[in-house]
Amino acid sequence: MPEMVATQRMKEAVAEAMNTDLSDEERALLRRHGPAAKTYPLEVVELLCTKLASRPYLYEMLSGSSVAGPPPLPSKKRNAENERRIAQIKRELEEREYAEMVKDVRRSEIAAEEVGEVQTYKSQLGEGMSIIFSKATAFAIGYYASRTVHGIDATHNAICGLVGLIVGLMVDGTLLILRSASKIRHSEDGKKLN
């Protein structure tokens, strides 16, 4: 049975009920707790409601009271070694939780790096193919221009094709230097803004 915190109304009711017609068992129950008790079992409160001449309702008797909790347990001293182990386990748990929390962020960073590498690879491959086709075109232009002007002389045509190839290399080299300088300038401007 739950214990109820004693109120002045309950204490007066216990004193009054001691003078009424009670069985020996009921009287022993009231004597055991008496009018000076700090708590009463709910069984005593219900007995008071039925034996008093005024017949109060249960909610009237419990008005202003509350359920008394069990007495607090004495605190135990903790072992220092266990405290250290608990602190270490908590740190490890926090680290795991943090790693779990940021793993998606790190995955997206890794994925972005991989995408950047693939794009760099694709752009390098594209530049390489562009250089190869442009040199082949420059050689072909030089070769066929020499053939048109000088006729069918294989050595002379090959030398003119190589001259066209060298001119194409110089044009591509100049364009590459200009593009690189432009990219460097843009990256430096971006750093200045940050």
Side-chain angles (χ1 to χ4, degrees), residues 163-179:
V163 169
L165 180 79
I166 292 169
V167 170
L169 277 172
M170 290 184 351
V171 169
D172 270 344
T174 306
L175 290 174
L176 180 67
I177 290 170
L178 291 175
R179 271 188 248 136

Side-chain angles (χ1 to χ4, degrees), residues 126-192:
E127 285 289 327
M129 294 303 288
S130 172
I131 289 172
I132 290 171
F133 287 122
S134 66
K135 300 314 161 259
T137 304
F139 180 82
I141 289 173
Y143 182 85
Y144 286 111
S146 170
R147 194 171 175 186
T148 305
V149 173
H150 297 291
I152 304 177
D153 181 12
T155 307
H156 198 299
N157 293 344
I159 291 172
C160 288
L162 288 174
V163 169
L165 180 79
I166 292 169
V167 170
L169 277 172
M170 290 184 351
V171 169
D172 270 344
T174 306
L175 290 174
L176 180 67
I177 290 170
L178 291 175
R179 271 188 248 136
S180 297
S182 174
K183 285 181 184 177
I184 291 171
R185 199 174 311 122
H186 286 298
S187 67
E188 287 175 356
D189 290 343
K191 287 180 184 177
K192 286 179 185 177

Side-chain angles (χ1 to χ4, degrees), residues 44-52 55-59 61:
V44 170
V45 178
E46 289 173 344
L47 177 68
L48 293 173
C49 290
T50 58
K51 296 300 178 177
L52 289 176
R55 300 262 186 209
Y57 290 106
L58 182 61
Y59 75 89
M61 289 298 290

